[in-house]
Amino acid sequence: MKSSQVRWTRFRIVVVFCVFLLAWGGLIWRAASLQIHNRDQLVKVAEQEYLRNIKLIPVRGDIFDRNGEKLAVSLSVDSIYAEPIRIKDPAAMTNQLVRILDLDRGRILKKLSSKSYFVWVKRQVDPDESAAVRALNAKGLGFIKESKRFYPNFSLASHLLGFVGVDAQGLEGIEVAYDDYFRGEVAYMPVMRDALGRTFQDRLSKSRPSMKGDNLTLTIDRRIQFVVEKALNRAVREYNARSGICIVLRPRTGEVLAMAVAPGFNPNVYGQYPPKRWRNIALTDSFDPGSTLKIFLVAAALEEGVVKPFDRLDCGNGFMSIGSRVVHDSRGYGRLTVSNIVKYSSNIGAVKIGRRLGSDHFYTYLANFGFGSKTGIDLPGESFGLVRPCDKWTEVDAANIAFGQGISVTAIQMVAAMSALANDGLLMRPFVVSKITDPSGKIIKKFRPQVVRRVVSERTAREARRMLRMVVEEGGTGMLAEPEGYPAAGKTGTAQKLDKNTRSYSKTKFVSSFVGFMPYDDPELAVLVILDEPWPKFFGGVVAAPTFKEIGEKVLPLLNLAPRSRPSVMTSTLEKKRNSELERHFGLVGQVKAGFKPYQLNRKMAGQNS
Amino acid sequence: MVEKETTVSAGQWDYILLLTTLLLVGGGVVMVLSASSFLAEKRFNDAYFFFKPQLVFMLVGLALMLILKNIPYQFVCRLSYLWLFIAIVGLILVFVPGVGHKVGGSSRWLHLGFISGQPSEFAKFALVTVLASSLAAKRNVIKSFAYGLAPHLIILGILAGLIVIEPDLGTCVILVVITVVMLFVAGVRISYLLSLVGLSIPVLAVLILRHGYQLRRIIAYLAPWDDPLGAGYHIIHSFYAFALGGLTGVGPGAGRQKLFFLPEPHTDFIFSVVGEELGFIGVALISFLFLCLVWRGIVVALNAYELEGTYLALGLTLIIGVQAFLNMFVVTGLLPTKGLALPFFSYGGSSLIMNFICVGIIMNVASQSKR
């Protein structure tokens, strides 16, 4: 072989190697494209196909009252699912399941006969049912722990708490308002799926996130709530009312201690009640307040200086013409002081004060007391009520509004406004959640009392309180509201409802209420009681005041307030002032702070001595 | 080569070739374990169902390699027509019921008592030995059609024809490529080779159209995303595997595409598992090892003692190299899907042992090389 031929052969062999080199280069380029350049896009498509994220719903956080009592808890219960593709004999399995679980045969058979990978058989089953199905040991059936909401106090505070749906989603009340906290962080457990559709968990990603939502502590006191509901339910029954509302607030802070609506419902089985039963009408519904509004009119007039407490106004012996209409009082009064107009709830007196004050001023004060706007309470569904702008008021409207007709307010607005008078003129935002804690007990959020605004001066508030005290004293319209052993103050209201048929005020349908606070000299509670359409008795001072009294008598001792002698409005203001100074520095006089145990203190002191 | 002959030093090792081979086979058995254990566990209740025999084949192969390294390649070449005869008989026997064995519609397997294997693996070896000895013998008449081209084409035709009717188009393509490259290196007229390639195109087209699945594979190659759940399914899941591996891979054993998504994760698509578990770095490294193997083979061919050794070393290198690169091209979607094993990696005794035999003979050629 010639050497040129050899050289050519060698050259051709090198060419072959060069082809391999090129092929290798092409391969590297391709691999880089797949694994680096276009990677993210491909991975996204791939994960869609075989990564199935199973949504892990954390155990819902609990709800506690202010003393740590459980109001809503979550129990871990079994839910049963099926993997139809793995079930060989759907008919036989349906028979077995129907025997144990209360299920519709046809629907289950259809589900089990399908070609899907996952169907629910029955969710949140009883432990007995779960055990029975487990005992079948059937292929293609599985169990998932789910959290089920349970309200251990049944209907207690049902409207306030609300309830959750089957997927643990808040549907009403606090459950929906704070749903994001209760839910906790929804975790997605990546579950692999192989080509045969079977799921399995990746060994590497076994770490599961904290599977519990946050806990809420409410300002509600379960004991007070219980007392309130009991009293309210009895009143609703006794006076044949359609419904009743009662709210108990701490005037100084705006904390809601109790909020009840009668009739209630059991949130554990909310589905058994008509949806309108679920409504927390203390927030959602508004009504004509009636005479309870007079005190805000008077407070406004005092603040503006257009009347003085002992100014006398002519109450026209029970009749007063406004245009073509006549305003009545329940009894004919001659000249009444402003204080007595409140005490006897004279409509004519109120109209005259309203005229002195002027509609625009009155409107401004109503708005400042919070009427016509949301209070900002941390619950869903609150409505605005209806306060028409004062430039739309006719003379008759202005007169009506002076004694609380032709204006619409919600229960929470009314009790918040009354609290402002009890709280020396400062309007507080009402709230029900005091703190949010994570599962480990760490406080995530703490809610502090919020001042909305100063509505009237301290002095005006004190004057208004004095008048409200007179209402409850001998001869006032609210005599029946005075609890045994505790001085109280408040205002009655009996509003005529608008009859839809006759388009005039009804003579038989009333909204009767009492709103006040106690103890008078140091308001700890602001309480509103409303009865809708009580009959045949209907005066607020007759049907609602006794409920106020009952609540006071039972709740005030719970706050460790000892009964005391009745201070009259004439009690020396000096003494009161001294008391309030003391309280400001040392807490409530006569009240033992919660959790304070004297013997512990003694022991500790003894230990220090030794 | 002969003319430049200086000294022949027998018994020397090509350490790079040895190291490359050991690295490849070591990585290969590990990947077989990783790729097959899940499948084996599910199917045979034994995670080592594929791994254990592969380990045995590896040891047998290593032994054969060491033996052949010390047997002069001239002896292998002298018996080339015997190998050819055995290969032809074997390829015919796969169709004989009783000894032949049908898997998935293809007659590729032969069971002879205690031993079984794929004759097509042996056919590649037989073809290379015949071509090497024949081309070396006809070095001076290589340009003639009758002597240089026709006899070799006839041998190729017989072997490829038998393999094509198994059917095993992948191996058939390998045979054609090896033959064309060897003829090219030997100096057969380029015009002949070009017309040979030209002629094979209609033949290939007929073969593809005869089997519906071949056509589907071509379509899937051209447009895999048009039918991701049908024809494109395999290649797309191979893409996923590479993509999920990224730069560094998910780690040996942690791959997920092998969980029934990839077809044949431990045989034809084992390189996808490499891509997922070892990432781009692993892909680059292993493909480089194959390139390295080819490079050593070429160097051995260039330094061979005589022309027959050159052709033999080249042909044996091509058996491994062409197959390796075709396989890697297929799983990365650069070529249509073909049933091709990745040398040293894919599970399978015949293939692994034949690869060792090839390396062993190359080593012998190397040991006789001139310095």
Side-chain angles (χ1 to χ4, degrees):
Chain A
M1 210 173 174
K2 289 181 299 239
S3 68
S4 72
Q5 273 181 314
V6 171
R7 267 208 298 282
W8 273 112
T9 306
R10 293 178 71 87
F11 171 73
R12 287 192 291 258
I13 291 176
V14 172
V15 166
V16 170
F17 181 71
C18 288
V19 171
F20 273 101
L21 208 59
L22 281 176
W24 186 70
L27 185 73
I28 292 297
W29 169 80
R30 179 67 167 181
S33 151
L34 285 174
Q35 305 195 267
I36 295 162
H37 189 242
N38 294 323
R39 171 168 199 246
D40 296 347
Q41 189 192 342
L42 275 167
V43 166
K44 221 163 83 187
V45 186
E47 293 202 326
Q48 268 173 12
E49 184 164 341
Y50 79 103
L51 240 188
R52 189 169 281 184
N53 274 324
I54 285 192
K55 201 173 168 181
L56 291 179
I57 299 170
V59 176
R60 204 173 167 79
D62 298 333
I63 306 179
F64 300 100
D65 85 340
R66 64 187 303 126
N67 303 315
E69 300 282 351
K70 283 179 176 174
L71 297 179
V73 294
S74 286
L75 303 178
S76 188
V77 294
D78 278 326
S79 282
I80 304 171
Y81 68 91
E83 295 171 274
I85 49 159
R86 294 179 59 200
I87 294 172
K88 294 219 172 63
D89 188 352
M93 185 168 289
T94 304
N95 287 336
Q96 287 179 315
L97 288 175
V98 169
R99 214 174 300 140
I100 298 166
L101 309 167
D102 181 26
L103 292 169
D104 179 60
R105 217 196 116 79
R107 268 179 51 193
I108 286 297
L109 185 61
K110 204 173 144 195
K111 276 185 182 176
L112 297 188
S113 310
S114 70
K115 280 275 174 285
S116 48
Y117 293 119
F118 183 98
V119 292
W120 286 116
V121 175
K122 189 175 182 184
R123 296 184 65 177
Q124 299 172 359
V125 297
D126 295 342
D128 297 350
E129 293 177 322
S130 165
V133 175
R134 263 181 213 282
L136 293 178
N137 210 7
K139 205 175 165 186
L141 286 185
F143 300 83
I144 292 178
K145 285 276 180 210
E146 282 198 296
S147 82
K148 183 184 168 76
R149 202 55 152 173
F150 181 63
Y151 302 91
N153 304 301
F154 301 99
S155 65
L156 189 85
S158 52
H159 291 93
L160 183 85
L161 297 174
F163 47 83
V164 301
V166 74
D167 282 316
Q169 75 280 30
L171 292 180
E172 291 280 345
I174 287 173
E175 296 278 24
V176 66
Y178 288 90
D179 204 25
D180 290 346
Y181 288 103
F182 287 127
R183 276 171 182 273
E185 221 153 299
V186 173
Y188 288 91
M189 184 171 68
V191 170
M192 307 299 154
R193 191 173 64 84
D194 65 21
L196 309 177
R198 296 174 301 200
T199 55
F200 58 94
Q201 205 184 334
D202 193 334
R203 260 166 279 170
L204 298 172
S205 61
K206 219 161 198 166
S207 61
R208 289 174 57 162
S210 142
M211 291 307 293
K212 186 132 185 347
D214 298 329
N215 298 325
L216 258 67
T217 302
L218 305 187
T219 58
I220 301 294
D221 186 317
R222 192 175 70 139
R223 301 166 304 173
I224 299 176
Q225 180 77 25
F226 179 75
V227 167
V228 163
E229 287 191 12
K230 206 172 154 199
L232 182 67
N233 279 318
R234 193 165 59 223
V236 166
R237 240 179 301 124
E238 194 174 337
Y239 301 110
N240 305 308
R242 283 179 58 202
S243 62
I245 301 170
C246 182
I247 303 174
V248 180
L249 224 60
R250 277 193 81 186
R252 282 201 196 83
T253 58
E255 289 167 282
V256 178
L257 296 175
M259 179 183 281
V261 169
F265 68 97
N266 179 357
N268 291 310
V269 286
Y270 64 90
Q272 295 176 5
Y273 300 85
K276 65 174 184 188
R277 264 287 183 94
W278 305 339
R279 278 216 333 255
N280 186 358
I281 56 174
L283 308 176
T284 60
D285 288 19
S286 54
F287 55 93
D288 285 18
S291 304
T292 48
L293 200 72
K294 282 174 189 161
I295 189 59
F296 305 111
L297 167 73
V298 169
L302 290 171
E303 181 77 5
E304 287 297 310
V306 294
V307 293
K308 298 229 158 23
F310 297 101
D311 284 0
R312 285 179 182 273
L313 284 86
D314 180 12
C315 291
N317 283 321
F319 291 95
M320 182 186 182
S321 301
I322 300 167
S324 59
R325 309 239 178 167
V326 179
V327 176
H328 298 271
D329 274 340
S330 51
R331 261 201 293 167
Y333 302 104
R335 292 171 67 82
L336 287 178
T337 61
V338 172
S339 300
N340 281 336
I341 286 171
V342 174
K343 177 169 184 172
Y344 302 121
S345 198
S346 164
N347 292 341
I348 293 164
V351 172
K352 295 204 164 161
I353 295 171
R355 282 184 174 173
R356 282 201 191 179
L357 178 62
S359 291
D360 48 347
H361 277 129
F362 188 24
Y363 176 81
T364 306
Y365 276 93
L366 286 176
N368 283 344
F369 270 110
F371 298 113
S373 56
K374 292 185 177 183
T375 61
I377 190 171
D378 46 348
L379 286 171
E382 194 187 1
S383 59
F384 290 88
L386 182 63
V387 183
R388 282 173 294 153
C390 56
D391 50 0
K392 299 251 166 58
W393 295 0
T394 63
E395 199 185 5
V396 175
D397 288 338
N400 274 338
I401 292 169
F403 53 88
Q405 297 280 165
I407 176 175
S408 231
V409 306
T410 64
I412 191 71
Q413 283 170 350
M414 177 55 75
V415 71
M418 180 53 79
S419 295
L421 292 179
N423 190 34
D424 291 336
L426 284 179
L427 182 68
M428 306 299 290
R429 183 185 78 98
F431 65 105
V432 293
V433 176
S434 64
K435 65 180 179 192
I436 300 172
T437 49
D438 73 5
S440 69
K442 208 180 86 197
I443 295 174
I444 292 173
K445 218 169 176 181
K446 200 162 179 157
F447 296 90
R448 305 207 169 273
Q450 276 177 25
V451 178
V452 178
R453 70 179 75 85
R454 172 166 287 285
V455 189
V456 293
S457 68
E458 228 170 289
R459 182 192 153 91
T460 302
R462 197 161 57 236
E463 280 304 329
R465 284 206 300 275
R466 193 185 55 79
M467 293 177 193
L468 291 169
R469 172 72 192 137
M470 287 167 66
V471 172
V472 180
E473 283 184 326
E474 197 62 36
T477 53
M479 278 169 67
L480 296 177
E482 179 88 329
E484 201 65 51
Y486 299 94
K491 184 73 193 79
T492 58
T494 311
Q496 290 172 282
K497 287 180 88 171
L498 206 57
D499 193 318
K500 282 194 186 100
N501 300 323
T502 60
R503 297 185 63 78
S504 64
Y505 284 109
S506 168
K507 295 277 193 305
T508 54
K509 291 180 177 168
F510 300 91
V511 175
S512 306
S513 59
F514 187 91
V515 57
F517 49 87
M518 55 198 153
Y520 159 66
D521 52 345
D522 176 24
E524 272 299 307
L525 305 173
V527 180
L528 165 66
V529 179
I530 298 175
L531 295 179
D532 188 19
E533 296 184 20
W535 192 256
K537 293 179 180 170
F538 59 84
F539 280 110
V542 175
V543 298
T547 306
F548 179 92
K549 169 184 152 88
E550 182 183 344
I551 290 169
E553 284 169 357
K554 290 188 174 152
V555 171
L556 289 172
L558 291 176
L559 302 177
N560 296 327
L561 288 176
R564 37 180 124 160
S565 61
R566 302 177 173 212
S568 151
V569 285
M570 303 305 171
T571 313
S572 114
T573 46
L574 196 71
E575 190 190 342
K576 271 188 289 174
K577 198 158 185 173
R578 192 179 59 85
N579 274 349
S580 69
E581 290 291 312
L582 279 174
E583 282 155 15
R584 219 155 275 159
H585 285 103
F586 304 108
L588 297 166
V589 173
Q591 181 183 349
V592 179
K593 275 183 185 163
F596 177 76
K597 292 194 180 113
Y599 72 89
Q600 279 185 338
L601 189 68
N602 291 340
R603 222 167 42 187
K604 199 171 176 189
M605 287 168 77
Q608 281 171 343
N609 290 341
S610 63
Chain B
M1 285 178 223
V2 192
E3 283 74 9
K4 281 190 181 173
E5 180 186 337
T6 49
T7 54
V8 176
S9 52
Q12 62 180 306
W13 285 91
D14 187 329
Y15 289 107
I16 298 177
L17 179 60
L18 180 70
L19 187 68
T20 307
T21 309
L22 292 179
L23 283 175
L24 281 172
V25 77
V29 287
V30 171
M31 289 316 294
V32 163
L33 175 64
S34 168
S36 72
S37 61
F38 197 81
L39 185 95
E41 177 82 52
K42 286 273 166 194
R43 218 181 268 174
F44 304 103
N45 209 15
D46 174 12
Y48 301 110
F49 184 86
F50 294 106
F51 177 65
K52 282 184 290 192
Q54 188 75 354
L55 216 54
V56 173
F57 291 136
M58 183 186 81
L59 295 174
V60 173
L62 275 169
L64 280 172
M65 180 179 81
L66 295 179
I67 293 165
L68 282 163
K69 192 225 164 234
N70 295 310
I71 295 174
Y73 69 86
Q74 292 85 347
F75 180 70
V76 176
C77 281
R78 210 156 301 149
L79 295 176
S80 61
Y81 285 92
L82 176 65
W83 310 137
L84 182 63
F85 176 75
I86 293 172
I88 290 172
V89 170
L91 287 172
I92 291 169
L93 279 178
V94 294
F95 297 106
V96 177
V99 281
H101 188 63
K102 232 177 155 140
V103 176
S106 300
S107 309
R108 296 180 184 177
W109 285 87
L110 203 58
H111 290 287
L112 293 170
F114 63 97
I115 197 165
S116 66
Q118 294 193 58
S120 56
E121 289 294 334
F122 188 71
K124 287 182 279 192
F125 169 76
L127 178 73
V128 165
T129 57
V130 169
L131 286 179
S133 56
S134 169
L135 288 171
K138 295 176 177 119
R139 73 187 76 165
N140 293 320
V141 288
I142 200 73
K143 301 278 181 204
S144 88
F145 179 82
Y147 296 100
L149 186 64
H152 309 124
L153 282 189
I154 289 165
I155 294 163
L156 171 69
I158 292 167
L159 290 174
L162 282 167
I163 289 170
V164 129
I165 56 179
E166 277 186 356
D168 182 355
L169 198 61
T171 307
C172 186
V173 167
I174 299 236
L175 289 184
V176 173
V177 171
I178 290 171
T179 308
V180 168
V181 173
M182 286 185 76
L183 293 178
F184 164 72
V185 169
V188 170
R189 283 175 197 278
I190 302 291
S191 54
Y192 291 164
L193 291 177
L194 286 179
S195 43
L196 176 68
V197 171
L199 278 172
S200 66
I201 287 171
V203 176
L204 207 64
V206 168
L207 290 173
I208 286 167
L209 292 173
R210 208 167 56 117
H211 296 287
Y213 70 87
Q214 297 285 12
L215 185 65
R216 276 217 314 281
R217 284 172 174 185
I218 303 283
I219 292 166
Y221 160 64
L222 294 172
W225 298 98
D226 285 359
D227 187 9
L229 293 175
Y233 184 85
H234 291 171
I235 193 63
I236 281 175
H237 281 91
S238 184
F239 289 165
Y240 290 164
F242 279 100
L244 288 165
L247 182 65
T248 55
V250 297
R256 298 180 292 209
Q257 286 293 306
K258 65 194 179 198
L259 306 172
F260 308 107
F261 284 105
L262 280 173
E264 311 287 331
H266 59 305
T267 62
D268 295 355
F269 277 86
I270 196 164
F271 198 59
S272 310
V273 181
V274 170
E276 185 178 8
E277 299 190 347
L278 305 180
F280 175 75
I281 291 169
V283 167
L285 200 72
I286 285 166
S287 60
F288 179 75
L289 284 176
F290 279 113
L291 185 71
C292 211
L293 190 88
V294 171
W295 166 56
R296 286 324 296 173
I298 297 274
V299 168
V300 170
L302 287 173
N303 296 334
Y305 169 62
E306 35 136 37
L307 204 54
E308 192 176 51
T310 300
Y311 291 156
L312 188 65
L314 177 72
L316 295 174
T317 303
L318 290 176
I319 289 180
I320 297 170
V322 169
Q323 179 137 357
F325 277 90
L326 282 186
N327 176 282
M328 292 188 286
F329 270 41
V330 164
V331 296
T332 52
L334 290 170
L335 282 175
T337 311
K338 271 189 250 71
L340 279 177
L342 183 63
F344 295 115
F345 274 73
S346 294
Y347 171 77
S350 322
S351 161
L352 185 59
I353 286 171
M354 283 317 300
N355 291 327
F356 274 118
I357 289 173
C358 293
V359 175
I361 296 170
I362 294 169
M363 282 173 165
N364 181 261
V365 178
S367 71
Q368 297 187 40
S369 67
K370 57 194 156 42
R371 277 288 142 180

